[in-house]
């Protein structure tokens, strides 16, 4: 299976659950920490180090081999979550939509201000 960038990770996940192609945004972690420190704490912790995950030691030491693809695994997990009523309605928490809109506005303003 291919190495996955974060973008590809989410693109494949969207395909696996039949969702539209995601509109991916890359908001700096330090800005997220200023805007919403409690929500961003895990992001700051996660992205403060290396995010390369490799199962080669499990393969070598335990003869581990994956038997399903990332996409299939995401699809199965999603189906389980749906069947067990574990999917939260994003409409109940407008924060991400508000953050995305504010980021777009800030980006447009910055582009307009720094036209070189």
């Amino acid at each position: 299976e291919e190495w996955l960038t974060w973008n590809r990770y989410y693109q494949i996940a969207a395909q696996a659950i039949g969702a539209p192609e995601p509109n991916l945004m890359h908001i700096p972690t330090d800005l997220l920490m200023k805007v919403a420190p409690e929500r961003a704490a895990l992001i700051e912790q996660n992205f403060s180090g290396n995010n390369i995950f490799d199962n080669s030691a499990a393969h070598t030491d335990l003869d581990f081999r994956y038997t399903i693809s990332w996409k299939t695994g995401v699809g199965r997990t999603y189906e389980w979550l749906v069947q067990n009523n574990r999917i939260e309605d994003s409409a109940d928490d407008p924060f991400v939509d508000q953050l995305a809109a504010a980021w777009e506005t800030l980006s447009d303003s910055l582009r307009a201000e720094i036209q070189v």
Side-chain angles (χ1 to χ4, degrees), residues 22-95:
N23 177 20
L24 301 169
M25 296 183 158
H26 302 280
I27 302 173
T29 302
D30 58 339
L31 178 59
L32 290 173
M33 287 300 295
K34 290 177 183 174
V35 171
E38 291 169 4
R39 288 178 178 252
L42 185 58
I43 294 168
E44 181 183 46
Q45 181 182 5
N46 183 50
F47 290 110
S48 64
N50 181 330
N51 270 284
I52 296 176
F53 305 101
D54 179 10
N55 66 12
S56 61
H59 175 71
T60 301
D61 298 344
L62 306 170
D63 200 29
F64 169 80
R65 287 177 176 68
Y66 62 84
T67 58
I68 62 169
S69 69
W70 162 245
K71 185 175 179 178
T72 300
V74 169
R76 289 181 183 179
T77 302
Y78 175 73
E79 288 303 319
W80 183 92
L81 292 169
V82 169
Q83 291 170 3
N84 291 278
N85 297 315
R86 299 307 264 294
I87 303 287
E88 296 179 16
D89 187 344
S90 62
D92 293 341
D93 183 5
F95 174 76

